[in-house]
């Protein structure tokens, strides 16, 4: 029933996360409530680091893709674990810097970075700027020249790999808004241009083929293509690039039927493919960067809601209506994402009711999950939705003028507020 190792049931029949009673957390902090287990986050970061150490002798960096969940405490944890972070906007960059994150360990992405954001990146001394298009390359070169600094960059390459995931989160195929296309020769042209540009140091290449991918084969195939491309760049420009960023996209467990690979398996296959092609092409193995997001924080988080009503429509369905919804978790509305839910105060009872969990927003599509199994419940019960640590808080909105929930972190059996609950006054703070 539980999709994460940090979840269990205590003697009261209550769901626990990180050993802490979720019903107690709901009472203490109110609902809706995001809860995240620090030990899971640290454990996942360590597992990824270990997978590089064990499979790839040329060294590498785990850069947490902070779009999955960005707030100061996460950057602090990632920093303490000796990892890097991928940021994708001035907002994420600013939050990381506010958290004391070392700028040299930041990878700055995005298919439209404004000039203000590029200026921030240059002025903070961000480690690598991942250039997404030709216009950005020109602008960055001019801005670096004006500042008399060198911008250390990767080019984002679209390798033409179909990762068999939802079309909205698939990014490696040729029909993509991201990056320079490999197949058309656009990528090679961009590499030649970047190599010759003033105040630009082309350090390596980047690719990211999509998200929630359970199969290691597309990653291995991408690794082969990318090493092949690095060798082609060397042959055509004389420049041997020493870094390869393979992006993120490793799958997380949302429902029991999801078969998640151990992290080591991805790196074993990626490293194997890289070594084979590098040897064939006599290309020196590059330093590797990976950018997992979802798989670091997804299973570390749950969301707790209070049930407001249960609406039976005979012969149609039963709605369980909760005090949150698409404002704190828009993923079912966006991509029909699957989730597992449990009635946290009755977690020891069989989940024998088929229900639709609906939110409180003024939208019929405001659903968390349809036709899912749940324990019998009524007004006042606490529903926990699992695997909400990734792309929930970071995608949350104030639709219907609903305040965003707080994030409570768990560490060593204790809880602390990492992000406070928005107040009604917060909702008006920008209104003039
Ligand atoms: N790197 C880049 C460039 C991305 O765009 C994303 C997600 O969109 C990621 C890493 C993280 O992907 P995931 O959370 O699936 O690991």
């Amino acid at each position: 029933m539980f999709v994460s190792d940090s979840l269990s049931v205590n003697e009261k029949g209550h769901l626990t996360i990180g050993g802490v009673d979720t019903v107690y957390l709901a009472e203490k902090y109110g609902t809706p409530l995001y809860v995240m287990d620090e030990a899971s986050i640290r454990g996942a970061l360590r597992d990824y680091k270990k997978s590089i150490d064990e499979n790839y002798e040329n060294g590498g960096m785990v850069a947490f893709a902070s779009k999955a969940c960005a707030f100061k405490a996460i950057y602090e944890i990632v920093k303490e674990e000796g990892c890097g972070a991928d940021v994708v906007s001035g907002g994420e960059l600013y939050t990381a810097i506010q958290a004391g994150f070392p700028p040299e360990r930041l990878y700055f992405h995005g298919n439209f970075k404004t000039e203000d954001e590029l200026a921030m990146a240059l002025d903070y001394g961000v480690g690598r700027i991942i250039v997404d298009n030709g216009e950005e390359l020109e602008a960055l070169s001019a801005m670096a020249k004006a500042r008399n600094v060198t911008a250390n960059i990767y080019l984002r390459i679209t390798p033409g790999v179909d990762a068999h995931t939802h079309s909205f989160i698939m990014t490696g195929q040729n029909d993509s808004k991201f990056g320079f296309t490999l197949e058309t020769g656009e990528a090679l042209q961009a590499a030649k241009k970047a190599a010759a540009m003033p105040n630009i140091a082309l350090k390596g290449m980047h690719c990211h083929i999509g998200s929630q991918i359970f199969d290691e084969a597309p990653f291995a195939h991408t690794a082969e293509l990318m090493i092949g491309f690095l060798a082609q760049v060397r042959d055509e420009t004389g420049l041997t690039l020493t870094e390869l960023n393979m992006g993120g996209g490793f799958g997380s467990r949302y429902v029991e039927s999801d078969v998640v690979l151990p992290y080591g398996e991805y790196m074993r296959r990626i490293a194997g493919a890289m070594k084979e092609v590098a040897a064939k092409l006599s290309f020196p193995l590059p330093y590797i960067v990976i950018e997992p997001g979802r798989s670091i924080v997804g299973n570390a988080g749950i969301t707790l809601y209070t049930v407001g009503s249960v609406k039976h429509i005979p012969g149609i369905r039963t709605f369980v209506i909760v005090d949150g919804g698409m404002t704190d978790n828009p993923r079912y509305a966006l991509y029909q994402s699957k989730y597992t839910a449990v009635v946290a105060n009755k977690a020891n009872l069989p989940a024998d009711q088929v229900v639709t969990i609906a939110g409180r927003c003024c939208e019929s599509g405001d659903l968390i999950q349809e036709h899912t199994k749940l324990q019998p419940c009524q007004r006042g019960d606490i529903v926990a939705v699992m695997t909400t640590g990734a792309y929930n808080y970071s995608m949350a909105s104030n639709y219907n003028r609903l305040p965003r929930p707080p994030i409570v972190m768990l560490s060593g059996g204790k809880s602390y507020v990492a992000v406070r609950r928005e107040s009604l006054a917060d909702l008006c703070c920008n209104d003039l």
Side-chain angles (χ1 to χ4, degrees), residues 332-384:
Y332 188 80
L334 269 176
Y335 338 103
Q336 293 78 50
S337 303
K338 295 201 172 98
Y339 282 100
T340 305
V342 61
V343 178
N345 52 312
K346 297 174 181 166
N348 54 346
L349 299 184
D352 55 5
Q353 313 284 304
V354 176
V355 304
T356 289
I357 303 173
R360 56 170 294 185
C361 296
C362 300
E363 298 277 333
S364 294
D366 171 27
L367 306 174
I368 299 286
Q369 198 62 197
E370 287 182 277
H371 314 302
T372 191
K373 287 196 164 167
L374 206 60
Q375 291 75 10
C377 66
Q378 61 191 34
R379 183 175 171 87
D381 282 339
I382 303 297
V383 167

Side-chain angles (χ1 to χ4, degrees), residues 65 67 86 109 156 206 208 211 248-250 291-294 391:
K67 71 202 68 157
D86 140 2
H109 289 273
R156 177 162 180 164
H206 169 272
H208 170 75
S211 199
F250 316 112
E291 296 172 335
R294 182 191 307 276
Y391 304 109

Side-chain angles (χ1 to χ4, degrees), residues 120 148 150 207 255:
M120 271 173 89
N148 200 21
T150 298
C207 59
V255 289

Side-chain angles (χ1 to χ4, degrees), residues 119-195:
M120 271 173 89
L122 291 173
D123 295 344
Y124 283 133
V126 157
R128 298 286 179 265
I129 299 174
I130 291 80
V131 173
D132 208 273
N133 52 65
E135 292 89 332
E136 185 175 286
L137 186 59
E138 305 265 1
L140 184 61
S141 171
M143 290 175 72
K145 197 166 172 206
R147 286 171 163 71
N148 200 21
V149 295
T150 298
N152 293 315
I153 70 158
Y154 297 158
L155 297 179
R156 177 162 180 164
I157 305 302
T158 312
V161 173
D162 179 347
H164 305 295
T165 184
H166 191 289
S167 62
F168 288 6
I169 53 174
M170 186 166 81
T171 55
Q173 75 287 3
N174 288 340
D175 179 11
S176 168
K177 69 169 183 165
F178 299 104
F180 299 93
T181 309
L182 191 59
E183 220 171 273
T184 59
E186 187 195 18
L188 184 62
Q189 285 311 317
K192 285 181 181 168
K193 190 170 166 184

Side-chain angles (χ1 to χ4, degrees), residues 5-6 89 116 138 165 199 202 218 234-235 257 338 386 393:
D5 292 344
S6 60
S89 67
D116 283 351
E138 305 265 1
T165 184
N199 301 79
L202 179 60
R234 173 197 59 190
D235 297 346
S257 57
K338 295 201 172 98
M386 303 172 202
Y393 171 70

Side-chain angles (χ1 to χ4, degrees), residues 41-63:
I41 298 169
R42 291 184 188 276
L45 290 166
R46 286 174 199 174
D47 283 350
Y48 273 118
K49 281 176 76 177
K50 195 163 140 228
S51 80
I52 295 182
D53 294 344
E54 285 177 353
N55 293 288
Y56 195 72
E57 50 278 22
N58 222 44
M61 169 69 84
V62 179

